[in-house]
């Protein structure tokens, strides 16, 4: 079946530190991969995505590369800011026989960036 | 383009009551999915609607139901509320593209926070 395993949090970093949040997946088909971010009291915002192997998604200084050989989609940012403090969710999307897109989420990683 | 909107944003109900939550998708999006988010269980898929038909359903009891209207707006209903139904209910919409690579992306609303007392 489909599943996502995400690095346990919480993660606390100083401003301008390097960030990596690990994400690995199991999928039966050819999934798309996503990172969503959730700020306090809000819904999920799409951060970046990749739809096929070796694609790199990027947005707001965050990057993740779809690695089929290691079934991974690790999130990285070279220099975090206090405003990046949020919960980050890795997710995969696979299309089933009905054509429905099913999103499978990791457990989320809480990031706190301190000045 | 306006994003996904959900109403109401906050709800307080008591055990045994029922509740209806509403979701308006992004214009042109045909698929609406619902998720429940709790601290203990994380994000769990409830169901997905496309062209007024439920295509997929998560592992939730029959007290949870939904529907989609011809304009793609969706509602979900929870009957006989239990304390454990307290959660953030998130709605997401997507274009529901067919064929080719699975490039469809789900866009989320702000959620409805339901508290059951």
């Amino acid at each position: 079946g489909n599943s996502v395993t995400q690095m346990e949090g919480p993660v606390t970093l100083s401003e301008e530190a390097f960030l990596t949040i690990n994400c690995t997946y199991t999928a039966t088909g050819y999934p798309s991969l996503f990172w969503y971010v959730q700020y306090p009291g809000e819904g999920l915002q799409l951060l970046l995505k990749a739809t096929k192997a070796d694609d790199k998604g990027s947005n707001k200084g965050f990057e993740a590369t779809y690695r089929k050989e290691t079934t991974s989609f690790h999130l990285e940012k070279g220099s975090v800011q206090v405003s990046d403090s949020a919960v980050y969710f890795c997710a995969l999307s696979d299309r089933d026989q009905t054509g429905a897109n099913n999103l499978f989420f990791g457990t989320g990683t809480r990031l706190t960036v301190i000045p | 383009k306006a994003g996904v909107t959900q109403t109401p944003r906050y709800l307080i109900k008591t055990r045994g009551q029922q509740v209806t939550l509403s979701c308006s998708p992004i214009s042109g999006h045909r698929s609406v999915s619902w998720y429940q988010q709790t601290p203990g269980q994380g994000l769990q898929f409830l169901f997905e609607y496309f062209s007024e038909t439920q295509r997929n359903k998560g592992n939730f009891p029959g007290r949870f139901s939904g529907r989609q209207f011809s304009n793609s707006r969706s509602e979900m209903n929870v009957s006989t509320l239990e304390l454990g139904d307290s959660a953030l209910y998130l709605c997401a919409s997507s274009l529901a593209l067919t064929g080719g690579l699975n490039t469809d992306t789900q866009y989320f609303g702000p959620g409805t926070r339901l508290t059951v007392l």
Side-chain angles (χ1 to χ4, degrees):
Chain A
N2 296 314
S3 66
V4 174
T5 302
Q6 192 174 336
M7 185 172 122
E8 292 282 334
V11 174
T12 303
L13 295 173
S14 297
E15 207 165 22
E16 299 183 5
F18 184 85
L19 168 70
T20 300
I21 301 178
N22 289 338
C23 172
T24 57
Y25 68 90
T26 302
T28 52
Y30 301 94
S32 293
L33 300 174
F34 304 85
W35 278 99
Y36 285 89
V37 58
Q38 186 175 34
Y39 297 100
E42 298 184 13
L44 273 66
Q45 295 179 24
L46 177 67
L47 182 59
L48 53 84
K49 70 175 186 179
T51 57
K52 61 184 188 298
D54 299 324
D55 267 2
K56 177 187 280 189
S58 60
N59 185 27
K60 301 181 182 179
F62 291 90
E63 291 183 341
T65 301
Y66 189 162
R67 302 274 188 214
K68 194 175 178 192
E69 63 276 13
T70 54
T71 62
S72 65
F73 192 55
H74 304 320
L75 182 69
E76 296 183 336
K77 186 175 185 183
S79 176
V80 293
Q81 306 300 314
V82 172
S83 57
D84 294 327
S85 298
V87 181
Y88 292 81
F89 292 91
C90 184
L92 74 81
S93 171
D94 203 2
R95 188 174 286 153
D96 67 18
Q97 307 94 307
T98 72
N101 250 340
N102 305 309
L103 261 182
F104 298 85
F105 285 94
T107 52
T109 301
R110 181 175 300 278
L111 169 67
T112 302
V113 181
I114 54 177
Chain B
K1 202 181 254 189
V4 178
T5 58
Q6 291 186 245
T7 56
R9 291 292 311 276
Y10 302 91
L11 263 178
I12 300 176
K13 293 284 187 178
T14 56
R15 277 181 298 173
Q17 287 187 309
Q18 76 164 27
V19 67
T20 299
L21 313 182
S22 180
C23 171
S24 293
I26 292 171
S27 177
H29 284 197
R30 300 184 297 169
S31 168
V32 173
S33 298
W34 288 90
Y35 297 83
Q36 181 195 65
Q37 186 179 26
T38 59
Q41 300 297 318
L43 278 155
Q44 293 186 285
F45 170 73
L46 279 156
F47 26 65
E48 187 256 2
Y49 286 87
F50 174 78
S51 290
E52 303 178 62
T53 301
Q54 185 183 93
R55 286 198 297 191
N56 204 0
K57 190 177 192 310
N59 190 24
F60 278 82
R63 299 185 298 107
F64 291 82
S65 63
R67 59 178 174 167
Q68 186 180 35
F69 302 95
S70 59
N71 61 359
S72 294
R73 192 177 69 84
S74 176
E75 289 181 346
M76 69 162 279
N77 186 76
V78 187
S79 62
T80 319
L81 284 166
E82 301 177 358
L83 294 178
D85 298 333
S86 295
L88 181 67
Y89 290 88
L90 293 163
C91 164
S93 75
S94 66
L95 280 169
L97 302 170
T98 56
L101 278 176
N102 178 13
T103 59
D104 219 7
T105 299
Q106 293 189 26
Y107 296 90
F108 285 78
T112 294
R113 183 162 298 281
L114 172 65
T115 302
V116 182
L117 302 176

